[in-house]
Amino acid sequence: MSDPALWTALADPHRRAIVALLLERPRPVGEIVEACGLSQPSTSKHLKVLREAGLVRVRQEAQRRVYALDPAPIARLDAWLAPYRELWNRSLDALGSRLDETAPDTPEDPAPKD
């Protein structure tokens, strides 16, 4: 995963918020502006960065531009993260095993009182 444009695009919290919005469904620019609370020019600049990184696609619908996520870069990012996720899973499994080994034996809970 050596695409610096993808990392740069995702480094900004406003762009991550836009990506999260587009995860739900494609949206026209006006909805993105309203949901993010940014100005239209600022939102357009963020969308341009996302588009240039390949994270979003745009289609024209009459006078509106509708943006949608492109899943391919996210899939590349997921593939890059897979070994790290496995490392965390092994570490957490080892921690869980160690905690199980060191936990004091506790008696069964008594039956609930009526």
Side-chain angles (χ1 to χ4, degrees), residues 5-71:
L6 182 58
W7 289 112
T8 299
L10 293 173
D12 185 276
H14 292 112
R15 290 191 286 267
R16 288 193 308 272
I18 292 170
V19 167
L21 269 173
L22 296 176
L23 182 60
E24 297 170 6
R25 63 180 169 80
R27 295 175 186 266
V29 175
E31 280 187 31
I32 298 169
V33 167
E34 186 177 314
C36 291
L38 300 171
S39 68
Q40 196 280 330
S42 179
T43 301
S44 291
K45 287 178 185 178
H46 287 302
L47 288 167
K48 179 180 179 186
V49 171
L50 292 170
R51 190 175 64 248
E52 289 174 351
L55 285 162
V56 299
R57 297 178 292 219
V58 62
R59 71 176 187 275
Q60 193 78 29
E61 285 184 1
Q63 299 299 319
R64 300 182 330 160
R65 290 179 182 260
V66 178
Y67 284 83
L69 277 183
D70 185 339

Side-chain angles (χ1 to χ4, degrees), residues 1 7 73-91:
M1 181 69 223
W7 289 112
I74 303 295
R76 288 196 313 268
L77 181 60
D78 182 59
W80 184 84
L81 287 169
Y84 299 96
R85 201 180 306 62
E86 179 58 32
L87 173 69
W88 273 104
N89 286 338
R90 284 194 314 263
S91 297

